[in-house]
Amino acid sequence: MSYAEFHSRRDGLDNQARMRKRMVREQIMARGITDENIINAMLAVPRHLFVPEAFRARAYADTPLPIGFGQTISQPYVVAVMTAALEVEPGARTLEVGAGSGYQAAILAAMGCVALGIERSPELYRQTLARVRSLGLSSKIHLYRGDGTLGLPNAAPYERILVSAGAPSIPAPLLRQLAEGGVMVVPVGEKRRKQRLIRTRKIRGKYISEDLGAAEFVDLVGDYGWQSES
Ligand code: SAH
């Protein structure tokens, strides 16, 4: 590597970190997210490595981006809102349904969660598995391929469950796999791409839900989700 190349690579790295800082300041903190653990995780996780090369320059922009196969990585602010809604605690066993690029799972892992992610698309699953390995995250993020509306019964219960796609109703198997005292967050809507973010707690065997506001996610497709892609 030449001297000039070395410096341009180093500047490239610094530049990503700079853009990440700016993203956190302008999109996350400015909109009222104050949890330091979330802020630190978003400063640490290299989002540009979770988007396709063609979109890398926009990795820190205030927008969702395509990740292929008709799917998207959520806008950074939405990831922060979902993470805050989940009331993440270090060490919590956390199931993410709709792992997509793995970015949300990487945020959870950076916050000290044991993250188990399920992804329906075989291609995305393979890509994301390779990404998790190359980033050295295999011990913190465990990826599975399958219909996440069924949860992952073998490793249940989960202290936290996050559904990263829009469901017509809360999938019953996920309720069953929520631990006592656990928290689950699911975008629920009878119309596609138009949901309410519903947080459900399991308290002494009872499920108590609250509406956290509007959401707009791609379809959760599966036995306990939409029957086909829109
Ligand atoms: N959290 C992801 C983005 C999620 S996009 C990220 O950080 O990149 C929603 C994802 O849910 C898509 O990848 C889609 O393939 C997946 N999905 C849809 N239905 C699913 C199901 N039943 N089980 C698992 N994944 C599903």
Side-chain angles (χ1 to χ4, degrees):
M1 195 189 311
S2 72
Y3 182 78
E5 218 183 328
F6 171 80
H7 277 280
S8 72
R9 283 203 196 175
R10 201 197 56 183
D11 287 351
L13 269 185
D14 287 348
N15 199 29
Q16 302 291 359
R18 252 200 314 276
M19 289 199 285
R20 201 147 59 234
K21 264 192 186 163
R22 187 166 165 192
M23 168 192 90
V24 168
R25 194 174 60 240
E26 295 178 0
Q27 300 172 37
I28 308 300
M29 297 171 75
R31 291 180 183 144
I33 302 279
T34 52
D35 183 333
E36 272 189 29
N37 291 328
I38 297 179
I39 290 168
N40 288 335
M42 295 193 83
L43 284 173
V45 176
R47 182 172 162 95
H48 61 286
L49 300 181
F50 290 77
V51 304
E53 292 243 14
F55 293 104
R56 208 151 271 181
R58 295 171 61 199
Y60 296 101
D62 191 12
T63 177
L65 290 170
I67 51 174
F69 316 102
Q71 308 302 331
T72 54
I73 178 174
S74 302
Q75 175 191 7
Y77 177 62
V78 170
V79 173
V81 166
M82 296 291 278
T83 308
L86 199 60
E87 299 180 347
V88 166
E89 277 174 12
R93 284 165 53 75
T94 304
L95 179 67
E96 191 202 4
V97 175
S101 69
Y103 178 71
Q104 171 76 69
I107 294 291
L108 296 170
M111 294 173 74
C113 294
V114 179
L116 295 91
I118 316 181
E119 174 51 49
R120 171 174 178 263
S121 152
E123 296 89 352
L124 270 176
Y125 164 77
R126 272 198 296 276
Q127 272 184 14
T128 299
L129 191 63
R131 173 177 295 125
V132 163
R133 287 191 180 141
S134 76
L135 292 173
L137 291 171
S138 301
S139 65
K140 296 179 177 168
I141 300 175
H142 307 281
L143 275 187
Y144 298 83
R145 223 285 307 162
D147 177 4
T149 67
L150 303 171
L152 268 184
N154 291 345
Y158 305 98
E159 284 143 9
R160 297 289 183 273
I161 300 179
L162 180 61
V163 178
S164 293
S169 60
I170 298 178
L174 298 182
L175 285 172
R176 286 197 290 274
Q177 292 170 34
L178 188 62
E180 177 57 36
V183 178
M184 172 158 78
V185 173
V186 189
V188 179
E190 285 167 20
K191 284 198 189 134
R192 292 176 164 195
R193 293 251 171 197
K194 198 168 157 37
Q195 301 103 18
R196 307 292 301 178
L197 198 59
I198 305 297
R199 173 165 59 199
T200 305
R201 298 174 199 279
K202 185 174 180 182
I203 302 171
R204 287 185 287 279
K206 290 213 174 85
Y207 297 100
I208 298 168
S209 291
E210 59 192 308
D211 182 336
L212 302 179
E216 196 182 319
F217 281 81
V218 296
D219 292 349
L220 180 74
V221 180
D223 283 2
Y224 290 82
W226 295 101
Q227 295 308 303
S228 63
E229 239 138 346
S230 57

